[in-house]
Amino acid sequence: MDYFIYKNGVLHAEGVAVPEIAASVGTPFYLYSTATFERHFTVFDEALNGLDHKIFFAMKANGNMAVLRLLAAMGAGMDVVSGGEYAKARAAGVAGDMIVFSGVGKTVDEMRQVLAGGIRQFNVESEPELRQLSRVATEMGKTAPVTLRVNPDVDARTHAKIATGKSENKFGIPMSKAREAYKKAARLPGIEVVGIDVHIGSQLTDLEPFRQAFTRVAALTGALRADGHTIRRLDLGGGLGIPYARSNEAPPLPMDYGQVIRETVGHLGCEIEIEPGRLIAGNAGILVSKVIYLKHGEGRDFLIIDAAMNDLIRPAMYDAHHDIVPVQEPPAGTALAPVDIVGPVCESGDTFSKQRPLPPLKSGDLVAFRSAGAYGAVMASEYNARPLIPEVLVKGDQFAVVRARPTYEDMISRDTLPAWMES
Ligand SMILES: *Cc1c(COP(=O)(O)O)cnc(C)c1O
C-alpha cells in the first residue's frame, strides 16, 4: 500500500499534486512519501510482534539522508555495506550499536573506521576476512562482535543477478564449512562470536526459500551451541519482494514472513535481526518524467521521455518491470495502445518497456514510474553527462527537495586538469 493516488484525476503524493512539484523542481525527479515509509516500517515491525527483534534498513536500497533520518526516528537501525554508508548512517544520527556491517569485501580501512566509530556487529563472509578483522581489532585493542554469514545453498527463485544464497554465488561461508569456521573464529583474538547471518537474495516472491534457509540456520544454531559457541543473535537478512506489476503480482505479506520466522527460529531464544531494503523503500517512491516526443516508427510507436537508464537502471539491468502511469488520469474507458517507452541515452538498452499498453500521451505530458523508491536513485549515474536527478520528499501537504539537481557547472568542476595542461 502506498500514498500515491489519483485525486480529482491528478496523481498526488499524499496531499501534494505531482504536477505542482514538477513545475517547481523540473523533470525528471524521484518523489518519496513519508507516510508510505512509515507505514512499511510499521507493518514490518508488527509482523515480528512477540519476537525479540530489531530492524536494520538495508540502506543500499535508498541512501538519502532525509530517508535515513525518518526511518532512524522510527527506531530503525541500518545495514551498511561500505565505509561510505557507515558514515552516512552516523551522520543521520544512527548510533554505532544500531548498525550492522555486511558485504564480501570489507577493507582494512573500513574495518578501522567502523571499529573506531562503534558497531553492533560485522557480518563476516569468509575466513580471510575473519583473520583480517582479528588482526585489525587486536592492533586497535578492540573486540569485534561477529556473525558469520552462511550460504545455505537454497534457490531463492529470483532474478540471477540478485540471488545470493546458492553455493555458486560469491556470498557467505558454505554450510558444510560453517562449524569449522566458527571453531577458528572462537580461537582468534579480537573476535567475539555473537550469532549467525544469512541473506539469500532480493525480490523473493515466495516464502519457501526463506523457510528452507531459516530451517538450516536453526539446525546450525543447535550444532554450534553443542560445539560450545554462544549464538544469541540471528540476522536473517532482507529480500522480501514487493508487487511491481500491481495487476498480477501478489508477493507474500510481511505477516506471513513473520510467521515463517516464528515457526523456524522462534524457539531458539535468539534476538532476531532483519535487514529489509526494498520492502521498506520500493513502493515509497516514484520517478516522475515528462514526455519529450511521441515518435511513429515502422510498425511501432516510441514514447521518448526525459528519464533514462542512467536515472533508473533496473529495467536495463534486471529486466525489471515498473508500472508506468500517466499523471493525468485518463477518463474511464480510454482505449490503450502499445508503445515502447524509451529514454534519450544512446543505447538500445535504454528501454523501460516494450509494447506497453498506455492511454494516448503527447509531448509535455507527465508519467510516473511506480515502485521506484528502492534501487532507483542509489544506482543512478551521470552517463551521457546527464545530471543526477533530484530527490523530493513529501509529508502531508508539504514537499521539500532532499537532494538538488547538480548544475552543469557542478558537474564540470568535479574534474580537474593536470598541471601540464594549459587552462
Ligand atoms: C541487499 C541486501 C539486503 C536488502 O535486500 P532487500 O531485497 O532490499 O530487502 C539485506 N541484506 C544484505 C546483506 C543485502 O546484501
Side-chain angles (χ1 to χ4, degrees):
M1 216 218 96
D2 64 52
Y3 293 86
F4 299 101
I5 37 175
Y6 290 107
K7 290 180 197 165
N8 306 319
V10 178
L11 189 66
H12 279 62
E14 302 187 23
V16 190
V18 170
E20 186 192 328
I21 305 174
S24 164
V25 307
T27 56
F29 61 95
Y30 279 100
L31 180 56
Y32 306 133
S33 152
T34 299
T36 312
F37 275 111
E38 290 175 346
R39 185 190 150 81
H40 291 166
F41 182 82
T42 303
V43 164
F44 222 118
D45 201 33
E46 286 173 1
L48 300 173
N49 250 340
L51 287 164
D52 178 12
H53 71 274
K54 284 200 169 62
I55 299 177
F56 299 85
F57 176 58
M59 61 177 275
K60 74 174 196 274
N62 188 317
N64 188 280
M65 291 298 288
V67 169
L68 302 184
R69 279 266 183 163
L70 96 83
L71 290 172
M74 295 193 76
M78 297 293 153
D79 170 35
V80 308
V81 294
S82 70
E85 285 195 350
Y86 179 85
K88 288 184 82 176
R90 294 306 307 267
V94 182
D97 64 3
M98 283 299 284
I99 301 177
V100 299
F101 190 8
S102 301
V104 290
K106 301 175 196 77
T107 65
V108 167
D109 284 349
E110 287 173 326
M111 289 172 180
R112 286 204 186 108
Q113 171 196 359
V114 162
L115 279 170
I119 186 78
R120 180 180 175 80
Q121 83 208 21
F122 288 83
N123 294 333
V124 169
E125 299 222 13
S126 66
E127 289 185 19
E129 184 192 352
L130 191 59
R131 288 194 297 273
Q132 185 63 265
L133 182 59
S134 167
R135 281 194 290 272
V136 173
T138 314
E139 208 178 270
M140 294 173 72
K142 302 247 181 201
T143 301
V146 157
T147 71
L148 296 189
R149 177 170 176 179
V150 294
N151 185 326
D153 194 23
V154 302
D155 184 354
R157 298 177 211 163
T158 184
H159 190 279
K161 285 185 186 154
I162 48 175
T164 59
K166 286 286 282 173
S167 52
E168 71 216 42
N169 301 129
K170 69 181 176 184
F171 298 97
I173 294 166
M175 273 288 180
S176 59
K177 297 194 171 151
R179 285 175 75 179
E180 193 53 37
Y182 273 89
K183 195 180 288 177
K184 287 181 185 156
R187 285 199 218 107
L188 284 171
I191 297 286
E192 185 205 0
V193 170
V194 296
I196 307 174
D197 172 47
V198 70
H199 170 75
I200 56 174
S202 198
Q203 186 53 16
L204 272 71
T205 52
D206 182 356
L207 289 175
E208 218 29 54
F210 287 120
R211 185 182 294 281
Q212 278 175 26
F214 301 165
T215 302
R216 286 174 198 179
V217 166
L220 180 64
T221 303
L224 292 176
R225 283 177 171 169
D227 290 346
H229 303 287
T230 305
I231 303 297
R232 59 174 197 269
R233 290 181 195 160
L234 298 180
D235 183 334
L236 301 178
L240 191 56
I242 61 168
Y244 278 99
R246 281 154 199 249
S247 52
N248 61 9
E249 284 177 6
L253 298 173
M255 269 312 160
D256 298 327
Y257 171 80
Q259 193 52 31
V260 168
I261 293 178
R262 266 186 214 92
E263 287 168 16
T264 51
V265 299
H267 59 289
L268 296 169
C270 287
E271 186 174 7
I272 302 300
E273 303 173 330
I274 48 168
E275 304 168 344
R278 191 185 309 269
L279 192 110
I280 304 282
N283 283 324
I286 62 175
L287 167 61
V288 180
S289 179
K290 190 186 275 181
V291 176
I292 309 177
Y293 300 114
L294 177 64
K295 168 172 158 175
H296 300 293
E298 188 108 58
R300 61 171 71 204
D301 288 344
F302 297 95
L303 196 66
I304 303 169
I305 62 174
D306 64 1
M309 63 189 291
N310 68 298
D311 304 312
L312 177 68
I313 204 170
R314 298 190 65 260
M317 180 123 146
Y318 310 117
D319 310 306
H321 171 100
H322 284 267
D323 281 350
I324 300 170
V325 298
V327 167
Q328 296 290 337
E329 191 176 27
T334 303
L336 307 182
V339 287
D340 285 11
I341 302 159
V342 302
V345 161
C346 305
E347 300 223 11
S348 295
D350 186 20
T351 298
F352 290 115
S353 178
K354 289 194 169 158
Q355 298 297 286
R356 177 76 63 88
L358 277 186
L361 286 163
K362 57 181 191 316
S363 175
D365 287 349
L366 297 174
V367 294
F369 288 67
R370 288 191 174 275
S371 316
Y375 307 105
V378 280
M379 296 180 90
S381 77
E382 289 184 340
Y383 188 38
N384 279 210
R386 294 167 48 85
L388 285 182
I389 67 177
E391 294 170 271
V392 178
L393 181 66
V394 165
K395 182 179 169 72
D397 58 6
Q398 315 168 68
F399 73 89
V401 173
V402 291
R403 177 186 279 175
R405 193 189 309 276
T407 63
Y408 293 149
E409 191 45 50
D410 293 335
M411 288 170 53
I412 293 164
S413 63
R414 266 184 237 137
D415 297 351
T416 50
L417 298 181
W420 64 81
M421 277 184 194
E422 288 172 43
S423 57

